[in-house]
Amino acid sequence: MNEIVKGSVERYLYRLLPARDAVLSEMERFAARRDIPIIGPAVGRLLALAVEISGAKRIFEMGSAIGYSTIWLARAAGRGARVYYTDGDPENARHAQANFRRAGVAERIQVLVGDAVRLIDRVPGKFDLVFIDVDKHQYPAAFRKAVPRLRRGGLLLADNALWSGRVTRKAADRATRGIQQFNRLMYSSPRLFPVILPLRDGVAVCLKR
Ligand SMILES: C[S@@+](CC[C@H](N)C(=O)[O-])C[C@H]1O[C@@H](n2cnc3c(N)ncnc32)[C@H](O)[C@@H]1O
């Protein structure tokens, strides 16, 4: 839990959430045991909502770990969708592939291993939605790669936009500076209409106009 929202309110929000199926619940427990920073169910639902409202079918995810957020995206996108999973760690990718099979979405996900900021160049065409969750110092580079690849009316989402409140600090570390710069880039782009939602650790949602 982060302290963006008062603890009691945050706990209230999480208590409201419906139970997840066996695959997602097990992934949540696995991530907690191994200290893997996944978006969790509240932000998972936000991703699913963004996909369903926009009708996104071509989705590129930058930083997918064990595939928890990928499953929320792929399930919401439905049959015929193409979701690109990316992670730099082959062990994560192996776990993710097993999870995709168990979740029944393996056929709509393409697993790419390597640097997501470079991998996006290897996939041709425009995307309906790009979700950024790589190392935080890479957010500006990810932003610069992602925005030109979104179709008009497409969505850019990014996790950790408030970074446990560290974004408010002046003398910041590399990760925090990356998020601060990313947030400035979003709000100064004439092509984007951004909103940062103070959900969990902050989620940026931008419409490309
Ligand atoms: C916060 S976790 C992703 C969690 C995932 N989005 C979820 O919520 O289920 C970040 C992941 O991004 C990967 N990563 C970080 N920088 C990366 C990069 N430049 N390219 C590919 N993967 C990267 C890390 O290996 C890590 O597994």
Side-chain angles (χ1 to χ4, degrees), residues 31-48:
R33 276 200 312 277
R34 302 277 186 103
D35 226 5
I36 298 170
I38 59 169
I39 54 167
V43 175
R45 291 175 69 87
L46 177 64
L47 293 190

Side-chain angles (χ1 to χ4, degrees), residues 99-153:
N99 290 327
F100 298 153
R101 283 191 290 273
R102 290 172 59 228
V105 290
E107 91 293 340
R108 61 187 85 148
I109 297 171
Q110 184 162 342
V111 172
L112 304 171
V113 179
D115 180 356
V117 178
R118 291 166 185 264
L119 285 170
I120 195 168
D121 294 334
R122 300 230 306 258
V123 182
K126 293 278 188 187
F127 300 107
D128 301 316
L129 188 152
V130 176
F131 175 52
I132 298 176
D133 198 12
V134 286
D135 287 347
K136 306 311 153 190
H137 69 278
Q138 294 186 305
Y139 270 36
F143 176 93
R144 292 191 179 96
K145 283 292 180 79
V147 173
R149 301 297 305 282
L150 279 169
R151 71 165 168 83
R152 206 164 164 225

Side-chain angles (χ1 to χ4, degrees), residues 27 36-40 61-70 85-89 92 114-117 119 131 133-136 138 159-160:
M27 289 173 82
I36 298 170
I38 59 169
I39 54 167
E61 181 177 45
M62 305 172 94
S64 307
I66 55 171
Y68 179 84
S69 49
T70 324
Y85 161 107
T86 64
D87 205 276
D89 181 346
N92 275 346
D115 180 356
V117 178
L119 285 170
F131 175 52
D133 198 12
V134 286
D135 287 347
K136 306 311 153 190
Q138 294 186 305
D159 194 29
N160 310 108

Side-chain angles (χ1 to χ4, degrees), residues 9 29 32 37 47 57 73-74 93 124 143 146 148 155 162 184 189 192 207:
V9 177
R29 288 194 291 274
L47 293 190
K57 288 284 181 197
L73 292 165
F143 176 93
L155 293 173
L162 297 174
R184 285 194 300 271
S189 167
L192 296 179
L207 176 71

